[in-house]
Amino acid sequence: MPRPLSNPPVRRVASLLLALGLTAMAFQQPPRQPASQPASFVITGAEIADGTGAPLRRASVRVQGDVIAAVGDITPRPGETVIDGTGMVLAPGFIDTHNHSSSGIEVEPAAVSQVSQGITTMAVGPDGSSPWPVGEYLQRLRTKPPTVNVVTFAGHATIRREVIGYDYKRQATPAEVARMAALVTQAMNEGAFGLSSGLEYEVGSYSATDEVVTMARAAGAKGGIYISHIRDEADLAMDAMREAITIGEQGKVPVQITHIKLGTVGVWGQANDAVAMVEAARKRGVDVTADAYPYLAWQSTPRVLIPNKRYTDSASVRRGLDDIGGAKNVQITRWGAHPEFVGKRLDEAARLLGVSDIDAYIQFQGDEESGMIGHAMTEADLRTFYKQPWVMVASDGGIANNHPRGAGTFPRVLGPLVREQQWMTLAEAIHKMSGMPAARLGLRDRGTVKPGMKADLVLFDPATVTDRATFERPRALSTGIQRVWVNGALVWNGTAVTDARPGRVLARP
């Protein structure tokens, strides 16, 4: 973290990460192998998914240093290293626009769970909570580079707490909003790629729309984007999506609805309505996109189940549990007072405690270290979202994450969703993982396989690539990713990480 944990803002970020189950716990890594970066090498025989969405084509790729030097019919030079990609697909490195590894990457710079699924660039600082100050954090990563490239967002809630402190359960004054906007500008000048918000969470939930508009406008003025965990992903999801679009429209800033979902029973089946809303906004000129992860369960704190914030009121708790389909759909990822319940459902924990589901929830939410997974989404809605040309793939995971999305997101799309269920073509999926997020972040030298681009590359077996992480074993590594290069250096050899740490802090255009 940017400062010692005695610093209140950083301690609050750490608390949120704990609540989400995103601690920088020690990760059981495969053995590291010596790194090797020849002056140049050629990958032959692979089908190229170039990141644009174009059909795959067979070609060779030469990498010189950290750059793709040539793509096409290439004759290897005498003594040049040749990698046989026959039967494989070569794609641009996957770019994760929503990753919770801001602290984890400092503790585990190898980022095994990330590179083993093909991630070569990750954007940290989502959901309104980010490292602070941004400049100090990025400088530490420059000094001690990780395996992957990193960009960061500035967190709305982080900045709000910097200005308001613990008196955040109110709307900000005009002077405070002005100060927040100035801090957004500061963060952008220090290297942030935009503003993130988590308006469903405790600190951000008290902010007025106008406050966020002003802060998002400050990010947009510096060429950044606004990425939002919207104010409600449950019964009021449509209103919350509408607010996100309004913030982008009024703030004159590109907006991304992150991990787009319909997360309670009351809004299941309304994906087409959400799509229509976004399409209408795009037609009138609002630059709005979204991302999604390929699982039917979300991860958060248990308090998001109670929108009116009456966390100990029995009627409110009952309504919140009913909205998610009952306590059986609440899976415990963290409970400081009861670590023996991790992995169990809340109804089972209630039985073991000898209390009602409602009383068990009240105890659960009152624990500072509580975190949960909500099994409350439908495959039909997710499929509808993924089919949209403005929806990309992002994990909402990270290092040492207690949701399978942390280790399995990208292979899960390539395997179960593309190969087995044919939700989209392989070329379309790769575009949603590389070229599209690169364009959204403004990364002009990454995201496609063509000469002059940085050599962030993934070589995978399309017949076997799949996720192995489950809700019971969320950190199991994926299979089928054969090799991963970051800036031309091999970081994953199919079974283990190498010693290379070629990741860079990427600059905003």
Side-chain angles (χ1 to χ4, degrees), residues 248-416:
E249 191 166 22
Q250 295 185 2
K252 301 185 185 305
V253 60
V255 58
Q256 182 148 317
I257 299 170
T258 195
H259 47 57
I260 189 170
K261 66 173 70 75
L262 297 168
T264 50
V265 175
V267 288
W268 286 356
Q270 296 182 26
N272 285 324
D273 295 335
V275 167
M277 183 193 308
V278 172
E279 291 283 6
R282 288 167 61 87
K283 285 180 181 178
R284 66 175 185 268
V286 185
D287 185 358
V288 55
T289 56
D291 61 66
Y293 52 78
Y295 297 90
L296 302 181
W298 45 263
Q299 183 180 31
S300 190
T301 70
R303 290 194 166 191
V304 302
L305 293 177
I306 317 298
N308 66 9
K309 303 184 186 302
R310 298 176 65 185
Y311 306 116
T312 60
D313 174 68
S314 295
S316 298
V317 173
R318 171 50 59 203
R319 187 160 51 250
L321 291 176
D322 287 346
D323 280 346
I324 200 175
K328 68 181 185 299
N329 286 338
V330 176
Q331 186 170 17
I332 298 162
T333 59
R334 290 187 61 83
W335 191 341
H338 293 285
E340 70 274 16
F341 292 159
V342 170
K344 298 184 184 299
R345 303 300 177 103
L346 186 62
D347 61 339
E348 182 181 359
R351 288 193 297 272
L352 292 171
L353 289 171
V355 300
S356 69
D357 292 351
I358 291 174
D359 288 338
Y361 171 84
I362 291 172
Q363 291 184 40
F364 182 40
Q365 64 80 32
D367 193 308
E368 277 192 7
E369 296 185 8
S370 61
M372 62 164 284
I373 287 171
H375 294 265
M377 297 154 64
T378 72
E379 184 176 286
D381 286 336
L382 178 62
R383 183 169 183 166
T384 295
F385 288 137
Y386 263 142
K387 283 185 171 295
Q388 306 313 310
W390 40 265
V391 175
M392 62 197 76
V393 177
S395 76
D396 193 17
I399 295 168
N401 187 257
N402 286 330
H403 188 297
R405 66 194 183 196
T409 287
F410 293 87
R412 181 170 181 80
V413 172
L414 296 173

Side-chain angles (χ1 to χ4, degrees), residues 445-476:
D445 60 354
R446 299 174 200 271
T448 55
V449 179
K450 65 180 182 180
M453 303 296 281
K454 294 297 182 184
D456 294 346
L457 296 166
V458 178
L459 185 68
F460 66 91
D461 184 347
T464 64
V465 64
T466 194
D467 61 319
R468 294 175 58 246
T470 65
F471 289 101
E472 291 69 38
R473 296 181 63 248
R475 302 184 190 182

